[in-house]
Amino acid sequence: TITNLALQEHIRGSILSYGAMTMIVEPLRSNNTLVQSKAALVVASLACDVNGRTELRNAGGLEPLVELLHSDNDEVRRNACWAVLVCGKDEPTTHELCKLGALEILQEINQSSSRRNSFSEVAVNRLLDYN
């Protein structure tokens, strides 16, 4: 899978060179929770490079990613939290995530024992560190 391939830096760079982050925006907007979950997982796998985060930001992918934080599906929400955590590694991306309401949504998630997950807790701290 792409997520497994993305573990290797040179392959990840190749995947990104084909515009993967631009192509993932539409699946992030899907109504299918399986597609949403897998798309967020791909973002989490590819966003560890600044080029990937920049491409996602420029393609308008942060907005649908933040929307997935509202999901009632645990896996979608967990993978979206993971992707936000990974995306929150630089100031421009973190600023945009916060502008889109990610910090507030994550704080709401963390207040709920049924919606909170390990990634949501760390993602809040990441956004606070870079914002």
Side-chain angles (χ1 to χ4, degrees):
T1 65
I2 290 178
T3 54
N4 291 334
L5 292 171
L7 295 174
Q8 299 178 39
E9 188 174 344
H10 68 282
I11 294 175
R12 183 173 55 247
S14 180
I15 293 168
L16 289 170
S17 74
Y18 285 98
M21 290 302 219
T22 300
M23 290 185 269
I24 204 67
V25 174
E26 181 135 352
L28 287 170
R29 297 181 194 276
S30 173
N31 291 324
N32 182 309
T33 56
L34 181 61
V35 173
Q36 292 171 341
S37 176
K38 298 298 182 187
L41 193 57
V42 168
V43 170
S45 300
L46 295 176
C48 46
D49 289 320
V50 68
N51 293 341
R53 292 189 300 274
T54 301
E55 183 182 339
L56 182 67
R57 194 173 62 245
N58 291 342
L62 294 179
E63 183 177 355
L65 178 62
V66 169
E67 287 301 314
L68 292 182
L69 294 172
H70 288 292
S71 179
D72 290 329
N73 181 287
D74 291 340
E75 187 176 343
V76 171
R77 194 173 53 256
R78 182 182 65 83
N79 289 347
C81 289
W82 186 8
V84 168
L85 168 65
V86 175
C87 286
K89 288 185 176 178
D90 63 63
E91 194 173 324
T93 306
T94 300
H95 177 73
E96 184 68 22
L97 286 166
C98 289
K99 193 168 122 181
L100 292 167
L103 183 58
E104 292 83 1
I105 298 166
L106 287 165
Q107 289 172 328
E108 288 174 18
I109 290 170
N110 288 334
Q111 290 176 356
S112 168
S113 60
S114 63
R115 296 175 59 82
R116 178 178 44 236
N117 61 69
S118 58
F119 294 117
S120 66
E121 295 172 344
V122 180
V124 166
N125 292 330
R126 174 72 53 84
L127 293 182
L128 289 171
D129 286 346
Y130 280 90
N131 194 22

